[in-house]
Amino acid sequence: MALDDETGCDGTTDEPQARFVGLLTAAHDRLLGYVLSLVGRRHDAEDVLQKASLVMWQKFHTFAPESDFLAWATTICFYEARNFLRLAARSPHCFDDALLAILAAER
């Protein structure tokens, strides 16, 4: 069975996936900046955005095409960042940068 460019390996159309990837790619830098403003560290922001991107894909069927993708995506990012910060606050191993530098130097 030959598959054309718009058909995935499972025989389904890739149109929603291509649309999602295009929207997410266009909004990526703004979303990363937004998440960074919420969590404070770039590495954490990248992790939160990755998790939020997965949630966005899982919920993409609920996104209304005529609505604002960035507004929809930042709402998901907000809740993922809030969850990240809540879990980080509960972590018994939350060290500040100065202590981490001392520990690294002692190593």
Side-chain angles (χ1 to χ4, degrees), residues 96-107:
D96 66 8
D97 290 336
L99 179 58
L100 289 175
I102 292 168
L103 292 172
E106 292 295 320
R107 191 173 166 219

Side-chain angles (χ1 to χ4, degrees), residues 4-80:
D4 62 22
D5 290 340
E6 294 183 18
T7 304
C9 297
D10 59 358
T12 61
T13 181
D14 286 341
E15 185 178 322
Q17 182 178 3
R19 187 160 182 267
F20 173 75
V21 169
L23 291 167
L24 183 60
T25 300
H28 181 271
D29 291 344
R30 291 182 70 187
L31 291 171
L32 183 59
Y34 174 69
V35 174
L36 182 58
S37 75
L38 297 174
V39 299
R41 290 184 173 184
R42 184 172 181 88
H43 179 77
D44 293 338
E46 290 169 350
D47 289 347
V48 169
L49 183 54
Q50 183 175 14
K51 174 82 167 86
S53 297
L54 178 61
V55 173
M56 286 179 231
W57 173 243
Q58 291 168 341
K59 294 183 178 210
F60 191 61
H61 67 280
T62 68
F63 173 70
E66 66 280 353
S67 65
D68 183 357
F69 179 80
L70 188 62
W72 181 77
T74 54
T75 301
I76 292 172
C77 288
F78 172 79
Y79 286 108
E80 288 302 316

